[in-house]
Amino acid sequence: MIETRSRETIVRQRYAAGAKERAEKLCCPVDYQSEYLKVIPREVIERDYGCGDPSRYLHEGEIVLDIGSGTGKICFIAAQIVGPKGKVIGVDMTDEMLEVARRNAPIVAERIGCANVEFRKGRIQDLALDLELLDRQLKEHPITNAASFLAADDLAEELRCKHPLIASDSIDVVVSNCVLNLVEPESKRQLFDEVFRVLRKGGRAVISDIVSDEEVPEEMQNDSELWNDCISGALTEEGFLAAFEGAGFYGIQILKRDVDPWRTVQGIEFRSVTVEAFKGKQGECFERNQAVIYRGPFKEVLDDDNHRMERGRRYAVCDKTYNLYKKAPYREFFDFVDPIVDLPLADAKPFDCSRTSLRHPKETKGQDYNATKEANSKCCDGGSCS
Ligand SMILES: C[S@@+](CC[C@H](N)C(=O)[O-])C[C@H]1O[C@@H](n2cnc3c(N)ncnc32)[C@H](O)[C@@H]1O
């Protein structure tokens, strides 16, 4: 088993070299949207080590964090999409990558007419710790003995709390392109937790990465060449989605899955996928007499809170679930039934979300509802039904 730090050091050294000179084997060809590449300097585009294009799923005005930003290509594309109302932060641990990205940022800013990108130094599994701030502090308080070594731990913890590299709940969209597989297995859980932490409620992750169709055997995991080639650290396709689920995300879906593997090693296929996952299902559940109807096409669905719903039936949901379903990625699959008499949230009672139950129409209309009305003219386009 390779020692954890040495894996990270090997990755850093390999990508430090990759920042200086293009390394062919480190990337898998991607078709980026060419209109966004025009303003990006050649050295950035040449030193592209991505496997997908999460920038395709961004919108104007969003605050975007690119983890493992390399020489900055995805950040520079994102800067054009989010525009002056948005902002892009790239995080990378490799000085040489940051140097190329930072040197090119003013060039791109001038060409697009706005400086909305910045690059910060950190490890993506520890997005609270600002490594440049730590560097500065360690210069003032160098590690000279065991006591100062242990004190450095306290110092790092203090920096995480008082001056986090990326604050909690501050980001609209976390993107990443071919980096998560490079993080050692022991830190992967923490990595997904960190992505979750920095996103605001209602935010989302859009991650492109290499995944495998079978578990990667231990001897392949210990091969540092394959590790750097984005092979050894790949999660399985199921494991990748499960990692988002484990961190508390919902609405997880595969936006793109390459049919052809990028590489096949010892019969195991490694391919690029892009996955989207949302933050925001946590919180209290209140009863406001709302109902939803799953439209189909499947006979039934199961959401990330274990609500199982059959096509076409009216289900009672709490206010939180009702509002989640009204947004992406669920919106198009549901019809929504508001109660005739609105129950303000302040007066609502707790709702037991651990079970799924049907909702009788009388509950949304009111038990005493007994109206008889003329035909609704909207239904027949102006009232002429003949
Ligand atoms: C395969 S390259 C991808 C770079 C970039 N996303 C792109 O599309 O070209 C991986 C990048 O992730 C960085 N990286 C790897 N592990 C990291 C970690 N644990 N924390 C921060 N950066 C990391 C490397 O320095 C390198 O720049």
Side-chain angles (χ1 to χ4, degrees):
M1 179 89 181
I2 298 178
E3 189 262 318
T4 301
R5 267 175 55 107
S6 76
R7 251 187 209 146
E8 192 169 295
T9 305
I10 294 164
V11 167
R12 197 181 289 110
Q13 287 168 347
R14 184 77 180 269
Y15 284 94
K20 290 183 181 142
E21 203 175 322
R22 180 178 168 78
E24 288 299 336
K25 261 177 81 185
L26 296 180
C27 68
C28 112
V30 179
D31 274 336
Y32 298 101
Q33 299 177 88
S34 56
E35 72 263 35
Y36 296 121
L37 298 181
K38 289 178 194 144
V39 296
I40 303 178
R42 234 177 98 178
E43 69 168 331
V44 171
I45 292 178
E46 274 175 7
R47 288 160 218 179
D48 163 25
Y49 302 120
C51 62
D53 184 7
S55 69
R56 282 178 185 267
Y57 307 95
L58 297 174
H59 307 297
E60 193 188 351
E62 289 182 322
I63 299 174
V64 177
L65 171 68
D66 179 14
I67 54 173
S69 45
T71 57
K73 176 200 63 260
I74 291 292
C75 292
F76 296 137
I77 296 174
Q80 299 169 70
I81 298 171
V82 303
K85 290 187 200 139
K87 179 178 164 176
V88 184
I89 304 164
V91 167
D92 206 285
M93 67 173 182
T94 306
D95 290 317
E96 291 77 358
M97 286 287 181
L98 286 167
E99 191 278 320
V100 177
R102 284 172 171 164
R103 182 159 38 76
N104 283 287
I107 301 171
V108 175
E110 205 194 320
R111 289 179 185 170
I112 67 173
C114 88
N116 58 353
V117 185
E118 62 172 295
F119 294 95
R120 301 181 187 171
K121 184 173 169 181
R123 293 157 80 225
I124 64 172
Q125 65 272 42
D126 188 2
L127 287 168
L129 185 58
D130 183 330
L131 291 179
E132 282 167 327
L133 215 49
L134 183 64
D135 264 347
R136 286 204 288 277
Q137 296 277 336
L138 288 177
K139 265 191 196 126
E140 283 174 30
H141 312 281
I143 297 175
T144 51
N145 53 27
S148 56
F149 173 77
L150 295 174
D153 261 355
D154 291 343
L155 176 64
E157 198 44 38
E158 193 182 326
L159 291 179
R160 284 188 191 99
C161 295
K162 292 192 179 158
H163 308 284
L165 181 76
I166 308 293
S168 301
D169 308 308
S170 63
I171 302 292
D172 294 325
V173 197
V174 173
V175 296
S176 184
N177 194 3
C178 211
V179 184
L180 273 52
N181 68 78
L182 293 168
V183 173
E184 61 276 5
E186 300 79 359
S187 302
K188 282 230 168 59
R189 175 77 214 235
Q190 189 185 325
L191 162 63
F192 282 90
D193 288 347
E194 277 292 83
V195 173
F196 189 83
R197 176 185 68 78
V198 300
L199 280 168
R200 67 165 174 81
K201 197 170 179 185
R204 65 195 192 281
V206 182
I207 309 287
S208 300
D209 218 316
I210 296 292
V211 292
S212 61
D213 65 347
E214 294 179 53
E215 289 287 350
V216 179
E218 205 164 318
E219 72 273 12
M220 267 168 74
Q221 288 190 33
N222 292 339
D223 181 323
S224 56
E225 269 297 299
L226 288 176
W227 190 271
N228 278 322
D229 290 354
C230 301
I231 294 291
S232 303
L235 290 169
T236 59
E237 293 179 32
E238 300 99 292
F240 194 48
L241 299 185
F244 285 101
E245 220 180 303
F249 285 95
Y250 76 91
I252 303 151
Q253 67 173 314
I254 301 167
L255 298 174
K256 186 169 185 290
R257 177 183 178 278
D258 282 3
V259 175
D260 295 325
W262 168 51
R263 279 182 68 183
T264 304
V265 182
Q266 294 174 23
I268 303 175
E269 292 183 351
F270 294 86
R271 58 169 46 75
S272 165
V273 292
T274 300
V275 167
E276 177 183 56
F278 291 81
K279 172 175 171 177
K281 76 181 175 71
Q282 291 71 22
E284 288 184 83
C285 300
F286 291 103
E287 169 66 282
R288 294 185 71 202
N289 298 331
Q290 295 134 319
V292 295
I293 300 167
Y294 168 55
R295 293 176 161 201
F298 294 99
K299 248 185 113 157
E300 64 172 23
V301 283
L302 178 69
D303 77 7
D304 286 295
D305 274 331
N306 284 321
H307 299 123
R308 188 180 294 281
M309 300 190 188
E310 288 174 31
R311 179 177 55 209
R313 306 191 77 186
R314 255 169 211 245
Y315 287 91
V317 287
C318 74
D319 186 61
K320 176 168 63 74
T321 302
Y322 190 75
N323 288 313
L324 280 189
Y325 283 9
K326 280 197 154 182
K327 294 187 290 197
Y330 296 135
R331 192 170 40 212
E332 63 188 295
F333 299 106
F334 287 94
D335 276 325
F336 300 89
V337 187
D338 276 315
I340 285 188
V341 179
D342 180 57
L343 178 62
L345 192 55
D347 301 339
K349 296 204 166 64
F351 179 100
D352 180 7
C353 234
S354 64
R355 62 188 181 84
T356 317
S357 51
L358 293 169
R359 172 144 274 164
H360 192 280
K362 281 259 182 277
E363 288 179 49
T364 45
K365 290 186 292 189
Q367 296 298 335
D368 301 331
Y369 188 75
N370 192 21
T372 303
K373 291 186 180 176
E374 290 302 309
N376 182 349
S377 61
K378 273 197 232 153
C379 165
C380 298
D381 196 17
S384 141
C385 279
S386 52

